[in-house]
Amino acid sequence: MPQQQESMAIDDDSVVSFQTEMPLPLQQAMTRFIEGHPNWDQYRLVQAALAGFLVQNGIESREITRVYVGNMFRRETLLHGV
């Protein structure tokens, strides 16, 4: 089946919430990372990871790329080296 590209409008006010079980080692690594990088939180980390995964696996979406880059290179992260 051919891949279709869909244009996605991202509304900054829209939020999709979900719950998932996470393997303990992944949860522990996430907690250690967040504790060592105070400008990151679980939401930013999951958004960056999910967007990065999608971009690296062929999703060609300017909006998704913006989410990834926006989370990876926030102004406060660049200023404080975190």
Side-chain angles (χ1 to χ4, degrees), residues 4-36:
Q4 282 185 298
Q5 289 185 358
E6 293 184 25
S7 176
M8 297 173 57
I10 296 179
D11 179 1
D12 289 337
D13 294 330
S14 67
V15 173
V16 175
S17 180
F18 63 92
Q19 289 183 323
T20 186
E21 291 183 22
M22 187 177 299
L24 185 59
L26 186 57
Q27 182 182 7
Q28 290 170 334
M30 203 170 125
T31 300
R32 281 192 309 271
F33 179 86
I34 291 168
E35 288 172 351

Side-chain angles (χ1 to χ4, degrees), residues 32-41 81-82:
R32 281 192 309 271
F33 179 86
I34 291 168
E35 288 172 351
H37 299 84
N39 288 334
W40 285 80
D41 60 27
V82 177

